[in-house]
Amino acid sequence: MNFKIVTDSSADIRELSGIPFESVPLKIITTEKEYVDNSELDVVGMLSDLKKYSGKSHTSCPSSGEYLEAFGNTENIFCITITSNLSGSCNAANVAMKSYLEEHPDRKVQVIDSLSTGPENALVIERLRKLILEGKDFEEIKTEISDYNLNHTRLIFALESMRNLANNGRVNPIVAKMAGLLGIRAIGRASDVGTLEMICKSRGPLNAANDIVANMIGDGYKGGRVKIHHANNLNAAELLKSKILEKYPSAEIDIGMAGGLCSFYAEQGGLLVGFEI
Ligand code: X90
């Protein structure tokens, strides 16, 4: 029985060992350039271009055809997407699933709406990988992964600017103003329905790290796995890691650079934190 994990590039994972894997890119589009969010994208270069650019910009999700191509010739497919409440990616994956199953009625495809993005999706993908490598069957994995995604992982973020989110209608412009002030970070979480929910504002990186940890604990964090993805802000990621380790010295914490899509919306300096509860 062969398995494949397919995701969109919002999960910030470019490769995965041990299991066939494909990340279908979203695109970041300005009037000057189109950035394809794949392993060739220079995310830091994109952020620096965007800093100098004041025109319109938007993003686009994969088409169902691109998902179909990624499904390939596979018996069992798990496809995890960015929250369906902020993107058409999940819908495209569902359309692809329907036509794949019409053509191959004997195969299995499960589309998982993460209701989140970035490092929370990465946690779910790594758990999927583990369950597949343990030799569990499709139905068992389906049940376990849905429970893990909905009940055992969360996402908190800290953003220094929400201009791109507001300009693209992904967050209320009044809410976005809170992150527009110099030195202020807007702290928020992925809500239960996969939208941005604001928690508070923090002044300065140290307060932001402390507020993130306090909110992680408030959401049920007890020392499990953490993934911190940063938009070109390794210092803030390291600071946050040290604050989590002060409280949970044996926590397993990975730091990684956010991909193109998350970096575009989180903007220079932003942090996304996926964690287990
Ligand atoms: O379909 C598309 O064009 C993609 C649209 C994506 C819009 C939102 C991406 C947010 C990325 C920002 C902070 C985390 C928010 C989490 C909310 C669930 C990162």
Side-chain angles (χ1 to χ4, degrees), residues 14 46 75 137 171 185 192 256:
R14 289 168 170 186
M46 181 190 81
E75 285 162 346
D137 69 30
V171 70
R185 276 111 185 123
D192 290 349

Side-chain angles (χ1 to χ4, degrees), residues 26-27 59-61 82-83 86-89 115-117 155 157 159 165 170 189-191 194-196 261-262 265-266 272:
L26 286 104
K27 294 187 185 102
T59 55
S60 77
C61 68
I82 187 169
T83 169
L86 296 177
S87 169
S89 183
L115 299 174
S116 186
T117 188
L155 180 83
F157 53 83
L159 307 179
L165 282 165
R170 261 78 188 194
R189 64 164 70 82
S191 73
T195 51
L196 277 90
L261 190 272
C262 285
Y265 284 107
L272 284 86

